[in-house]
């Protein structure tokens, strides 16, 4: 249900065509909510049929001209309702963490290379977020809209900071385990049922 609300948010920020929305989802909005070209166009049709948005009249009608959309009062009301509604946090599902859990029973061979790759990817993303922060949120830019947008960006920065720190520690741990004689790490887990230990 979040994609239509992401589209309503983007259109309230700036009336756009489907193509323009796709480009925006590839950039700023796409950092925290991604969508394909087809998904966006499908949702635009649904939002229009529900009376949440409308196509803007073209200044000079022309065949093949891309339609731009704007949000109607009903769409703004729906977005406000959704924004204020209670929602539970989503449980973390990450295959890297599952693979580490599997390594506890089959060994860590080959895992270090991919951990390094993940670390490099998160470092790049962190650098990109920090550049956006320097460019788009200089000191003194503190309107309510800017402060909320900056808060979203700070979430991305904090998350990437966590992952770069965690992955650095994970690589150190895996390197230390590779020095442990085989047989000392596999099959030694107890029966405690917690996130990081055996069932």
């Amino acid at each position: 249900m979040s994609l239509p609300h992401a589209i309503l948010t983007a259109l309230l920020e700036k009336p756009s065509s489907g193509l323009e929305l796709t480009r925006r989802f590839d950039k700023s909005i796409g950092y925290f909510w991604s969508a394909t070209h087809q998904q966006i166009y499908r949702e635009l049709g649904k939002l229009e049929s529900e009376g949440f948005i409308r196509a803007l009249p073209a200044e000079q009608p022309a065949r093949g001209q891309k339609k731009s959309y704007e949000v109607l009062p009903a769409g703004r009301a729906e977005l406000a309702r959704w924004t204020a509604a209670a929602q539970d946090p989503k449980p973390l599902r990450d295959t890297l963490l599952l693979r580490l859990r599997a390594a506890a029973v089959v060994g860590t061979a080959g895992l270090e290379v991919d951990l390094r790759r993940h670390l490099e990817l998160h470092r790049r993303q962190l650098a990109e977020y920090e550049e956006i922060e320097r460019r788009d949120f200089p000191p003194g830019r503190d309107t309510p809209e800017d402060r909320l947008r900056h808060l979203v960006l700070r979430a991305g920065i904090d998350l990437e900071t966590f992952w770069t720190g965690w992955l650095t520690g994970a690589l150190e741990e895996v390197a230390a385990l590779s020095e442990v004689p085989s047989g000392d790490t596999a099959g030694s887990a107890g029966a405690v049922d917690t996130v990081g230990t055996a069932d």
Side-chain angles (χ1 to χ4, degrees):
M1 193 60 183
S2 295
L3 177 55
H5 297 99
I7 292 173
L8 287 172
T9 299
L11 290 178
L12 278 169
E13 291 175 342
K14 179 184 177 183
S16 305
S17 68
L19 180 59
E20 290 167 339
L21 279 174
T22 299
R23 289 172 178 161
R24 292 170 68 190
F25 269 79
D26 285 342
K27 295 179 181 178
S28 60
I29 296 173
Y31 285 124
F32 57 91
W33 199 269
S34 61
T36 66
H37 182 82
Q38 292 82 1
Q39 288 172 322
I40 289 171
Y41 272 89
R42 186 164 55 247
E43 290 300 334
L44 284 171
K46 291 179 183 178
L47 289 167
E48 189 173 22
S49 67
E50 291 168 352
F52 290 156
I53 65 173
R54 69 163 184 155
L56 290 169
E59 294 180 5
Q60 295 179 339
R63 187 174 181 180
Q65 187 176 29
K66 297 178 177 63
K67 293 191 293 185
S68 287
Y69 296 88
E70 69 174 358
V71 178
L72 295 171
R76 177 181 283 272
E78 167 57 23
L79 186 60
R81 180 206 64 76
W82 178 79
T83 301
Q87 295 186 11
D88 293 333
K90 299 291 185 184
L92 177 63
R93 296 180 63 187
D94 192 298
T95 54
L96 179 59
L97 300 181
L98 182 58
R99 288 164 60 206
L100 279 170
R101 179 71 179 251
V105 292
V106 299
T108 60
L111 192 58
E112 184 175 351
V113 171
D114 204 42
L115 285 172
R116 291 192 183 283
R117 186 179 68 88
H118 276 252
L119 177 58
E120 180 58 28
L121 290 171
H122 283 289
R123 282 176 172 164
R124 287 185 201 167
Q125 190 65 74
L126 177 58
E128 187 172 349
Y129 285 159
E130 289 175 335
E131 175 56 31
I132 292 171
E133 183 177 43
R134 284 189 292 270
R135 184 192 69 209
D136 294 348
F137 298 100
R141 185 170 178 177
D142 60 355
T143 66
E145 295 83 0
D146 284 331
R147 289 170 68 177
L148 288 172
R149 290 177 184 130
H150 193 189
L151 192 62
V152 174
L153 179 61
R154 284 300 319 173
I157 290 172
D158 290 347
L159 186 59
E160 295 303 328
T161 299
F162 160 76
W163 278 115
T164 55
W166 182 86
L167 283 161
T168 299
L171 278 163
E172 292 171 355
E173 190 73 23
V174 168
L177 288 172
S178 67
E179 299 171 3
V180 176
S182 61
D184 289 357
T185 58
S188 60
V192 181
D193 187 12
T194 62
V195 171
T197 57
D199 292 334

